[in-house]
Amino acid sequence: MRVLLLISFFTIVLISCTQQETKKNQEDDKSKMKESISGIEIFQQNCVSCHGAAGNLGTSGAKNLQTSKLTKSEIVLQVTNGKGMMSAYKNLLSEEEIEHVSEYVLTLRK
Ligand code: HEC
């Protein structure tokens, strides 16, 4: 009888653990969605004046982001440190924000 009780106890513990696991995954998905939204927001607040909403405006010689061939880490570097007419964003945006906006830049490619 004891053994049976023990087994059912462990089964219940196991079931509740797996349920928590799926809940955690759902929360992860939600935070991923939030990331991409804030990438757009950061872009619209800081980058559209030169690059335009679609990335191809080209004000003050801004490079076309639709045809850019930079990798994500190169974008992160350029946004962090700036280049030519483009100012550095390391004092304006957090590392995380630069990461998000760089991911967004990649989605502008045609
Ligand atoms: C003052 C205008 C201006 C603003 C604002 C600006 N940029 Fe730029 N951006 C430029 C210019 C000019 C270049 C070309 C720099 C060069 O190569 O000399 C450039 C180049 C880039 C490149 C490199 C493209 C390539 O293929 O070489 C990326 C990526 C980029 N900008 C992203 C951003 C992001 C993200 C933001 C906002 C956080 C931003 N820029 C804000 C002017 C701007």
Side-chain angles (χ1 to χ4, degrees):
M1 192 56 196
R2 276 252 170 90
V3 174
L4 212 78
L5 258 172
L6 256 174
I7 290 175
S8 50
F9 174 74
F10 280 120
T11 321
I12 290 167
V13 170
L14 245 165
I15 289 172
S16 60
C17 277
T18 48
Q19 276 174 347
Q20 263 179 0
E21 195 60 34
T22 46
K23 205 173 158 210
K24 204 169 151 253
N25 285 343
Q26 282 168 352
E27 274 163 17
D28 280 356
D29 284 350
K30 259 194 224 144
S31 71
K32 265 189 208 127
M33 265 170 63
K34 228 161 107 198
E35 268 175 34
S36 52
I37 291 169
S38 61
I40 295 179
E41 282 169 3
I42 297 161
F43 190 83
Q44 286 174 344
Q45 281 161 17
N46 299 282
C47 322
V48 286
S49 54
C50 295
H51 290 283
N56 63 352
L57 187 64
T59 308
S60 359
K63 290 224 172 123
N64 187 340
L65 300 179
Q66 290 178 3
T67 54
S68 167
K69 303 233 157 19
L70 298 189
T71 62
K72 189 184 147 194
S73 53
E74 288 169 327
I75 298 173
V76 168
L77 258 182
Q78 176 147 348
V79 175
T80 307
N81 300 316
K83 186 177 177 191
M85 291 290 292
M86 181 172 151
S87 48
Y89 281 87
K90 60 181 164 219
N91 298 323
L92 297 166
L93 300 173
S94 70
E95 263 178 51
E96 210 187 349
E97 287 170 326
I98 292 177
E99 189 86 0
H100 292 175
V101 80
S102 300
E103 268 163 25
Y104 179 71
V105 164
L106 290 173
T107 69
L108 296 170
R109 293 204 180 154
K110 289 270 147 88

mmCIF file with all atom_site columns, all heavy atoms in Angstrom, residues 87-103:
data_model
loop_
_atom_site.group_PDB
_atom_site.id
_atom_site.type_symbol
_atom_site.label_atom_id
_atom_site.label_alt_id
_atom_site.label_comp_id
_atom_site.label_asym_id
_atom_site.label_entity_id
_atom_site.label_seq_id
_atom_site.pdbx_PDB_ins_code
_atom_site.Cartn_x
_atom_site.Cartn_y
_atom_site.Cartn_z
_atom_site.occupancy
_atom_site.B_iso_or_equiv
_atom_site.pdbx_formal_charge
_atom_site.auth_seq_id
_atom_site.auth_comp_id
_atom_site.auth_asym_id
_atom_site.auth_atom_id
_atom_site.pdbx_PDB_model_num
ATOM 1   N N   . SER A 1 87  ? 26.020 58.864 -36.081 1.00 0.00 ? 87  SER A N   1
ATOM 2   C CA  . SER A 1 87  ? 26.603 59.001 -34.749 1.00 0.00 ? 87  SER A CA  1
ATOM 3   C C   . SER A 1 87  ? 26.581 57.674 -33.989 1.00 0.00 ? 87  SER A C   1
ATOM 4   O O   . SER A 1 87  ? 25.862 56.755 -34.344 1.00 0.00 ? 87  SER A O   1
ATOM 5   C CB  . SER A 1 87  ? 25.855 60.075 -33.963 1.00 0.00 ? 87  SER A CB  1
ATOM 6   O OG  . SER A 1 87  ? 24.482 59.854 -34.074 1.00 0.00 ? 87  SER A OG  1
ATOM 7   N N   . ALA A 1 88  ? 27.371 57.592 -32.948 1.00 0.00 ? 88  ALA A N   1
ATOM 8   C CA  . ALA A 1 88  ? 27.427 56.399 -32.097 1.00 0.00 ? 88  ALA A CA  1
ATOM 9   C C   . ALA A 1 88  ? 26.211 56.379 -31.175 1.00 0.00 ? 88  ALA A C   1
ATOM 10  O O   . ALA A 1 88  ? 25.748 57.421 -30.735 1.00 0.00 ? 88  ALA A O   1
ATOM 11  C CB  . ALA A 1 88  ? 28.709 56.429 -31.280 1.00 0.00 ? 88  ALA A CB  1
ATOM 12  N N   . TYR A 1 89  ? 25.727 55.182 -30.911 1.00 0.00 ? 89  TYR A N   1
ATOM 13  C CA  . TYR A 1 89  ? 24.537 55.072 -30.059 1.00 0.00 ? 89  TYR A CA  1
ATOM 14  C C   . TYR A 1 89  ? 24.843 54.466 -28.695 1.00 0.00 ? 89  TYR A C   1
ATOM 15  O O   . TYR A 1 89  ? 23.936 54.220 -27.918 1.00 0.00 ? 89  TYR A O   1
ATOM 16  C CB  . TYR A 1 89  ? 23.452 54.268 -30.785 1.00 0.00 ? 89  TYR A CB  1
ATOM 17  C CG  . TYR A 1 89  ? 22.742 55.131 -31.803 1.00 0.00 ? 89  TYR A CG  1
ATOM 18  C CD1 . TYR A 1 89  ? 23.247 55.263 -33.088 1.00 0.00 ? 89  TYR A CD1 1
ATOM 19  C CD2 . TYR A 1 89  ? 21.617 55.852 -31.461 1.00 0.00 ? 89  TYR A CD2 1
ATOM 20  C CE1 . TYR A 1 89  ? 22.640 56.090 -34.011 1.00 0.00 ? 89  TYR A CE1 1
ATOM 21  C CE2 . TYR A 1 89  ? 20.995 56.686 -32.373 1.00 0.00 ? 89  TYR A CE2 1
ATOM 22  C CZ  . TYR A 1 89  ? 21.514 56.800 -33.645 1.00 0.00 ? 89  TYR A CZ  1
ATOM 23  O OH  . TYR A 1 89  ? 20.905 57.636 -34.538 1.00 0.00 ? 89  TYR A OH  1
ATOM 24  N N   . LYS A 1 90  ? 26.138 54.267 -28.409 1.00 0.00 ? 90  LYS A N   1
ATOM 25  C CA  . LYS A 1 90  ? 26.456 53.573 -27.154 1.00 0.00 ? 90  LYS A CA  1
ATOM 26  C C   . LYS A 1 90  ? 26.023 54.355 -25.919 1.00 0.00 ? 90  LYS A C   1
ATOM 27  O O   . LYS A 1 90  ? 25.784 53.766 -24.874 1.00 0.00 ? 90  LYS A O   1
ATOM 28  C CB  . LYS A 1 90  ? 27.923 53.188 -27.097 1.00 0.00 ? 90  LYS A CB  1
ATOM 29  C CG  . LYS A 1 90  ? 28.874 54.345 -27.169 1.00 0.00 ? 90  LYS A CG  1
ATOM 30  C CD  . LYS A 1 90  ? 30.304 53.848 -27.141 1.00 0.00 ? 90  LYS A CD  1
ATOM 31  C CE  . LYS A 1 90  ? 31.243 54.937 -27.598 1.00 0.00 ? 90  LYS A CE  1
ATOM 32  N NZ  . LYS A 1 90  ? 32.324 54.431 -28.428 1.00 0.00 ? 90  LYS A NZ  1
ATOM 33  N N   . ASN A 1 91  ? 25.917 55.687 -26.041 1.00 0.00 ? 91  ASN A N   1
ATOM 34  C CA  . ASN A 1 91  ? 25.477 56.455 -24.874 1.00 0.00 ? 91  ASN A CA  1
ATOM 35  C C   . ASN A 1 91  ? 23.971 56.710 -24.873 1.00 0.00 ? 91  ASN A C   1
ATOM 36  O O   . ASN A 1 91  ? 23.433 57.249 -23.912 1.00 0.00 ? 91  ASN A O   1
ATOM 37  C CB  . ASN A 1 91  ? 26.214 57.791 -24.814 1.00 0.00 ? 91  ASN A CB  1
ATOM 38  C CG  . ASN A 1 91  ? 27.708 57.594 -24.648 1.00 0.00 ? 91  ASN A CG  1
ATOM 39  O OD1 . ASN A 1 91  ? 28.127 56.672 -23.947 1.00 0.00 ? 91  ASN A OD1 1
ATOM 40  N ND2 . ASN A 1 91  ? 28.498 58.415 -25.310 1.00 0.00 ? 91  ASN A ND2 1
ATOM 41  N N   . LEU A 1 92  ? 23.316 56.383 -25.988 1.00 0.00 ? 92  LEU A N   1
ATOM 42  C CA  . LEU A 1 92  ? 21.877 56.644 -26.100 1.00 0.00 ? 92  LEU A CA  1
ATOM 43  C C   . LEU A 1 92  ? 21.038 55.393 -25.898 1.00 0.00 ? 92  LEU A C   1
ATOM 44  O O   . LEU A 1 92  ? 19.924 55.452 -25.380 1.00 0.00 ? 92  LEU A O   1
ATOM 45  C CB  . LEU A 1 92  ? 21.569 57.221 -27.494 1.00 0.00 ? 92  LEU A CB  1
ATOM 46  C CG  . LEU A 1 92  ? 22.216 58.569 -27.792 1.00 0.00 ? 92  LEU A CG  1
ATOM 47  C CD1 . LEU A 1 92  ? 22.146 58.885 -29.273 1.00 0.00 ? 92  LEU A CD1 1
ATOM 48  C CD2 . LEU A 1 92  ? 21.523 59.660 -26.977 1.00 0.00 ? 92  LEU A CD2 1
ATOM 49  N N   . LEU A 1 93  ? 21.579 54.254 -26.325 1.00 0.00 ? 93  LEU A N   1
ATOM 50  C CA  . LEU A 1 93  ? 20.825 53.007 -26.232 1.00 0.00 ? 93  LEU A CA  1
ATOM 51  C C   . LEU A 1 93  ? 21.605 51.995 -25.395 1.00 0.00 ? 93  LEU A C   1
ATOM 52  O O   . LEU A 1 93  ? 22.836 52.011 -25.396 1.00 0.00 ? 93  LEU A O   1
ATOM 53  C CB  . LEU A 1 93  ? 20.596 52.430 -27.635 1.00 0.00 ? 93  LEU A CB  1
ATOM 54  C CG  . LEU A 1 93  ? 19.822 53.290 -28.645 1.00 0.00 ? 93  LEU A CG  1
ATOM 55  C CD1 . LEU A 1 93  ? 19.853 52.643 -30.016 1.00 0.00 ? 93  LEU A CD1 1
ATOM 56  C CD2 . LEU A 1 93  ? 18.384 53.502 -28.196 1.00 0.00 ? 93  LEU A CD2 1
ATOM 57  N N   . SER A 1 94  ? 20.876 51.116 -24.721 1.00 0.00 ? 94  SER A N   1
ATOM 58  C CA  . SER A 1 94  ? 21.547 50.057 -23.969 1.00 0.00 ? 94  SER A CA  1
ATOM 59  C C   . SER A 1 94  ? 22.021 48.994 -24.954 1.00 0.00 ? 94  SER A C   1
ATOM 60  O O   . SER A 1 94  ? 21.576 48.951 -26.104 1.00 0.00 ? 94  SER A O   1
ATOM 61  C CB  . SER A 1 94  ? 20.575 49.441 -22.968 1.00 0.00 ? 94  SER A CB  1
ATOM 62  O OG  . SER A 1 94  ? 19.589 48.709 -23.665 1.00 0.00 ? 94  SER A OG  1
ATOM 63  N N   . GLU A 1 95  ? 22.924 48.131 -24.487 1.00 0.00 ? 95  GLU A N   1
ATOM 64  C CA  . GLU A 1 95  ? 23.407 47.038 -25.337 1.00 0.00 ? 95  GLU A CA  1
ATOM 65  C C   . GLU A 1 95  ? 22.247 46.206 -25.849 1.00 0.00 ? 95  GLU A C   1
ATOM 66  O O   . GLU A 1 95  ? 22.222 45.775 -26.995 1.00 0.00 ? 95  GLU A O   1
ATOM 67  C CB  . GLU A 1 95  ? 24.325 46.132 -24.514 1.00 0.00 ? 95  GLU A CB  1
ATOM 68  C CG  . GLU A 1 95  ? 25.793 46.439 -24.704 1.00 0.00 ? 95  GLU A CG  1
ATOM 69  C CD  . GLU A 1 95  ? 26.651 45.548 -23.840 1.00 0.00 ? 95  GLU A CD  1
ATOM 70  O OE1 . GLU A 1 95  ? 26.458 44.321 -23.881 1.00 0.00 ? 95  GLU A OE1 1
ATOM 71  O OE2 . GLU A 1 95  ? 27.502 46.088 -23.105 1.00 0.00 ? 95  GLU A OE2 1
ATOM 72  N N   . GLU A 1 96  ? 21.281 45.984 -24.962 1.00 0.00 ? 96  GLU A N   1
ATOM 73  C CA  . GLU A 1 96  ? 20.124 45.174 -25.324 1.00 0.00 ? 96  GLU A CA  1
ATOM 74  C C   . GLU A 1 96  ? 19.301 45.869 -26.420 1.00 0.00 ? 96  GLU A C   1
ATOM 75  O O   . GLU A 1 96  ? 18.852 45.231 -27.370 1.00 0.00 ? 96  GLU A O   1
ATOM 76  C CB  . GLU A 1 96  ? 19.264 44.982 -24.071 1.00 0.00 ? 96  GLU A CB  1
ATOM 77  C CG  . GLU A 1 96  ? 18.518 43.691 -24.061 1.00 0.00 ? 96  GLU A CG  1
ATOM 78  C CD  . GLU A 1 96  ? 17.556 43.623 -22.885 1.00 0.00 ? 96  GLU A CD  1
ATOM 79  O OE1 . GLU A 1 96  ? 17.631 44.479 -21.975 1.00 0.00 ? 96  GLU A OE1 1
ATOM 80  O OE2 . GLU A 1 96  ? 16.724 42.714 -22.903 1.00 0.00 ? 96  GLU A OE2 1
ATOM 81  N N   . GLU A 1 97  ? 19.131 47.181 -26.288 1.00 0.00 ? 97  GLU A N   1
ATOM 82  C CA  . GLU A 1 97  ? 18.367 47.919 -27.300 1.00 0.00 ? 97  GLU A CA  1
ATOM 83  C C   . GLU A 1 97  ? 19.070 47.900 -28.655 1.00 0.00 ? 97  GLU A C   1
ATOM 84  O O   . GLU A 1 97  ? 18.433 47.764 -29.701 1.00 0.00 ? 97  GLU A O   1
ATOM 85  C CB  . GLU A 1 97  ? 18.142 49.364 -26.825 1.00 0.00 ? 97  GLU A CB  1
ATOM 86  C CG  . GLU A 1 97  ? 17.125 49.463 -25.717 1.00 0.00 ? 97  GLU A CG  1
ATOM 87  C CD  . GLU A 1 97  ? 17.073 50.848 -25.073 1.00 0.00 ? 97  GLU A CD  1
ATOM 88  O OE1 . GLU A 1 97  ? 18.128 51.519 -24.971 1.00 0.00 ? 97  GLU A OE1 1
ATOM 89  O OE2 . GLU A 1 97  ? 15.985 51.248 -24.663 1.00 0.00 ? 97  GLU A OE2 1
ATOM 90  N N   . ILE A 1 98  ? 20.402 48.021 -28.621 1.00 0.00 ? 98  ILE A N   1
ATOM 91  C CA  . ILE A 1 98  ? 21.176 47.976 -29.872 1.00 0.00 ? 98  ILE A CA  1
ATOM 92  C C   . ILE A 1 98  ? 21.027 46.604 -30.521 1.00 0.00 ? 98  ILE A C   1
ATOM 93  O O   . ILE A 1 98  ? 20.849 46.485 -31.732 1.00 0.00 ? 98  ILE A O   1
ATOM 94  C CB  . ILE A 1 98  ? 22.663 48.318 -29.603 1.00 0.00 ? 98  ILE A CB  1
ATOM 95  C CG1 . ILE A 1 98  ? 22.771 49.789 -29.199 1.00 0.00 ? 98  ILE A CG1 1
ATOM 96  C CG2 . ILE A 1 98  ? 23.524 48.024 -30.823 1.00 0.00 ? 98  ILE A CG2 1
ATOM 97  C CD1 . ILE A 1 98  ? 24.162 50.255 -28.829 1.00 0.00 ? 98  ILE A CD1 1
ATOM 98  N N   . GLU A 1 99  ? 21.043 45.588 -29.682 1.00 0.00 ? 99  GLU A N   1
ATOM 99  C CA  . GLU A 1 99  ? 20.826 44.210 -30.149 1.00 0.00 ? 99  GLU A CA  1
ATOM 100 C C   . GLU A 1 99  ? 19.465 44.098 -30.851 1.00 0.00 ? 99  GLU A C   1
ATOM 101 O O   . GLU A 1 99  ? 19.357 43.585 -31.951 1.00 0.00 ? 99  GLU A O   1
ATOM 102 C CB  . GLU A 1 99  ? 20.860 43.315 -28.900 1.00 0.00 ? 99  GLU A CB  1
ATOM 103 C CG  . GLU A 1 99  ? 20.877 41.855 -29.158 1.00 0.00 ? 99  GLU A CG  1
ATOM 104 C CD  . GLU A 1 99  ? 22.297 41.324 -29.371 1.00 0.00 ? 99  GLU A CD  1
ATOM 105 O OE1 . GLU A 1 99  ? 23.294 42.069 -29.320 1.00 0.00 ? 99  GLU A OE1 1
ATOM 106 O OE2 . GLU A 1 99  ? 22.384 40.143 -29.615 1.00 0.00 ? 99  GLU A OE2 1
ATOM 107 N N   . HIS A 1 100 ? 18.423 44.627 -30.214 1.00 0.00 ? 100 HIS A N   1
ATOM 108 C CA  . HIS A 1 100 ? 17.065 44.531 -30.772 1.00 0.00 ? 100 HIS A CA  1
ATOM 109 C C   . HIS A 1 100 ? 16.941 45.325 -32.069 1.00 0.00 ? 100 HIS A C   1
ATOM 110 O O   . HIS A 1 100 ? 16.352 44.843 -33.036 1.00 0.00 ? 100 HIS A O   1
ATOM 111 C CB  . HIS A 1 100 ? 16.036 45.062 -29.776 1.00 0.00 ? 100 HIS A CB  1
ATOM 112 C CG  . HIS A 1 100 ? 15.899 44.213 -28.558 1.00 0.00 ? 100 HIS A CG  1
ATOM 113 N ND1 . HIS A 1 100 ? 15.106 44.546 -27.501 1.00 0.00 ? 100 HIS A ND1 1
ATOM 114 C CD2 . HIS A 1 100 ? 16.469 43.032 -28.242 1.00 0.00 ? 100 HIS A CD2 1
ATOM 115 C CE1 . HIS A 1 100 ? 15.207 43.619 -26.571 1.00 0.00 ? 100 HIS A CE1 1
ATOM 116 N NE2 . HIS A 1 100 ? 16.027 42.699 -27.001 1.00 0.00 ? 100 HIS A NE2 1
ATOM 117 N N   . VAL A 1 101 ? 17.478 46.528 -32.103 1.00 0.00 ? 101 VAL A N   1
ATOM 118 C CA  . VAL A 1 101 ? 17.323 47.349 -33.296 1.00 0.00 ? 101 VAL A CA  1
ATOM 119 C C   . VAL A 1 101 ? 18.134 46.727 -34.442 1.00 0.00 ? 101 VAL A C   1
ATOM 120 O O   . VAL A 1 101 ? 17.715 46.778 -35.600 1.00 0.00 ? 101 VAL A O   1
ATOM 121 C CB  . VAL A 1 101 ? 17.686 48.831 -33.034 1.00 0.00 ? 101 VAL A CB  1
ATOM 122 C CG1 . VAL A 1 101 ? 19.178 49.097 -33.039 1.00 0.00 ? 101 VAL A CG1 1
ATOM 123 C CG2 . VAL A 1 101 ? 17.001 49.733 -34.042 1.00 0.00 ? 101 VAL A CG2 1
ATOM 124 N N   . SER A 1 102 ? 19.251 46.085 -34.125 1.00 0.00 ? 102 SER A N   1
ATOM 125 C CA  . SER A 1 102 ? 20.053 45.442 -35.169 1.00 0.00 ? 102 SER A CA  1
ATOM 126 C C   . SER A 1 102 ? 19.291 44.263 -35.768 1.00 0.00 ? 102 SER A C   1
ATOM 127 O O   . SER A 1 102 ? 19.321 44.032 -36.976 1.00 0.00 ? 102 SER A O   1
ATOM 128 C CB  . SER A 1 102 ? 21.382 44.946 -34.603 1.00 0.00 ? 102 SER A CB  1
ATOM 129 O OG  . SER A 1 102 ? 22.102 46.042 -34.076 1.00 0.00 ? 102 SER A OG  1
ATOM 130 N N   . GLU A 1 103 ? 18.588 43.520 -34.915 1.00 0.00 ? 103 GLU A N   1
ATOM 131 C CA  . GLU A 1 103 ? 17.756 42.425 -35.418 1.00 0.00 ? 103 GLU A CA  1
ATOM 132 C C   . GLU A 1 103 ? 16.664 42.986 -36.327 1.00 0.00 ? 103 GLU A C   1
ATOM 133 O O   . GLU A 1 103 ? 16.344 42.414 -37.360 1.00 0.00 ? 103 GLU A O   1
ATOM 134 C CB  . GLU A 1 103 ? 17.113 41.666 -34.254 1.00 0.00 ? 103 GLU A CB  1
ATOM 135 C CG  . GLU A 1 103 ? 17.968 40.507 -33.809 1.00 0.00 ? 103 GLU A CG  1
ATOM 136 C CD  . GLU A 1 103 ? 17.597 39.987 -32.437 1.00 0.00 ? 103 GLU A CD  1
ATOM 137 O OE1 . GLU A 1 103 ? 16.441 40.171 -32.014 1.00 0.00 ? 103 GLU A OE1 1
ATOM 138 O OE2 . GLU A 1 103 ? 18.480 39.398 -31.786 1.00 0.00 ? 103 GLU A OE2 1
#
